[in-house]
Amino acid sequence: MKRLFTTLFIATFAITIVHAQNTCSTYYPMVDGAKLQYTNYNKKGKEDGKFNYTVTNVQGSGNNVSATMEMEIVDKKGKVYTSDYDIVCDGDIVKIDFKSMMNEQMLSQMGDVEMDISGTDIELPNSLSVGQELPDANISIKMKMGGAINMNTNVETVNRKVEKLESLTTPAGTFDCYVIYSETKTKMMMTKQTLPSRTWFSEGVGMVKQESYNKSGKLTNSMVLTNYSK
């Protein structure tokens, strides 16, 4: 259960930087049928699962567009978890409805679970520049897993800053990307930790790569865009 929840949570924060492009957003392919596949790698560079996303049910126009994101998580043992959730592009900001992500379909795959979610979404403006500071974000999840078993998780994403602009090549192609540094403060049960990460964003695609590090700054895992179509 804890492993599934951790995998899902990693996917959640990756998702907030993966989707939407039309006149409402610069960085995300918010187009019906757009598909993105990310491959997760451990610190030794070995494959550790995949995340597949498909954009569906795009509605609206101009600066107000909504869509449904279908998500499939394939862990390193080949087990598949599926769900879908809502995305809203409002003005120059893309937001994800975290509550819709934890829908009946996903909860049924996690067993007998009740969940309460609150917090603020991660925001990515349409215009980025080197040195720009971005707003913090947080999410709090309270889970009741049958009987008296409870698990509360709080995650803050802080110190978000655009570090540089660089070209990055992945199996999906070569992309000009802004690199954003951030730190994630996590409290899960009796565990507390603050870990840094970097994310590469490309116009019209969204997230191209994400690297996570331990408190000493050493790479612990990465997520790379390995297939993309729209």
Side-chain angles (χ1 to χ4, degrees):
M1 169 63 70
K2 185 176 180 180
R3 179 175 178 81
L4 171 56
F5 176 71
T6 302
T7 301
L8 176 60
F9 191 79
I10 291 171
T12 303
F13 274 84
I15 291 160
T16 60
I17 47 184
V18 173
H19 321 77
Q21 186 206 350
N22 47 30
T23 58
C24 191
S25 175
T26 301
Y27 288 94
Y28 307 126
M30 207 170 205
V31 178
D32 266 312
K35 295 180 181 295
L36 303 100
Q37 181 184 75
Y38 295 86
T39 301
N40 199 47
Y41 299 94
N42 63 21
K43 63 182 179 180
K44 295 182 179 179
K46 294 184 178 181
E47 187 174 325
D48 195 29
K50 293 184 184 295
F51 302 92
N52 301 310
Y53 305 104
T54 302
V55 181
T56 63
N57 195 32
V58 177
Q59 300 181 25
S61 62
N63 291 332
N64 293 278
V65 179
S66 64
T68 299
M69 181 62 61
E70 296 180 353
M71 176 180 65
E72 179 184 74
I73 303 171
V74 184
D75 68 18
K76 64 181 180 181
K77 295 182 179 180
K79 191 168 184 177
V80 178
Y81 304 95
T82 60
S83 186
D84 58 64
Y85 56 92
D86 300 326
I87 315 168
V88 176
C89 182
D90 184 5
D92 63 351
I93 296 173
V94 177
K95 299 180 180 181
I96 289 178
D97 185 345
F98 287 108
K99 290 184 178 180
S100 72
M101 184 179 179
M102 299 299 182
N103 54 32
E104 291 183 3
Q105 182 182 10
M106 177 58 73
L107 293 179
S108 67
Q109 297 172 85
M110 300 176 73
D112 184 15
V113 177
E114 295 180 12
M115 192 174 300
D116 180 47
I117 305 172
S118 60
T120 59
D121 299 338
I122 291 181
E123 298 180 357
L124 187 70
N126 283 335
S127 179
L128 295 177
S129 60
V130 175
Q132 181 178 3
E133 295 184 357
L134 303 177
D136 294 344
N138 69 80
I139 181 172
S140 177
I141 302 177
K142 297 180 180 180
M143 300 177 64
K144 181 179 289 186
M145 298 173 286
I149 301 176
N150 297 311
M151 183 171 76
N152 297 332
T153 300
N154 186 72
V155 178
E156 296 179 81
T157 303
V158 301
N159 298 327
R160 301 176 66 216
K161 185 176 181 178
V162 182
E163 288 188 322
K164 57 185 176 180
L165 178 64
E166 69 177 21
S167 179
L168 178 68
T169 298
T170 79
T174 299
F175 307 90
D176 292 326
C177 302
Y178 279 103
V179 183
I180 297 179
Y181 172 86
S182 64
E183 295 174 356
T184 301
K185 297 181 178 180
T186 305
K187 295 180 181 179
M188 180 183 291
M189 301 180 72
M190 302 300 293
T191 303
K192 296 181 181 181
Q193 59 182 1
T194 300
L195 302 176
S197 66
R198 285 183 174 87
T199 307
W200 283 253
F201 294 94
S202 179
E203 183 175 333
V205 178
M207 189 184 82
V208 174
K209 182 179 180 180
Q210 184 178 52
E211 290 186 345
S212 299
Y213 315 96
N214 62 22
K215 61 182 181 181
S216 299
K218 294 183 178 180
L219 182 69
T220 56
N221 71 280
S222 62
M223 186 183 295
V224 177
L225 181 67
T226 47
N227 201 355
Y228 168 68
S229 65
K230 65 176 181 178

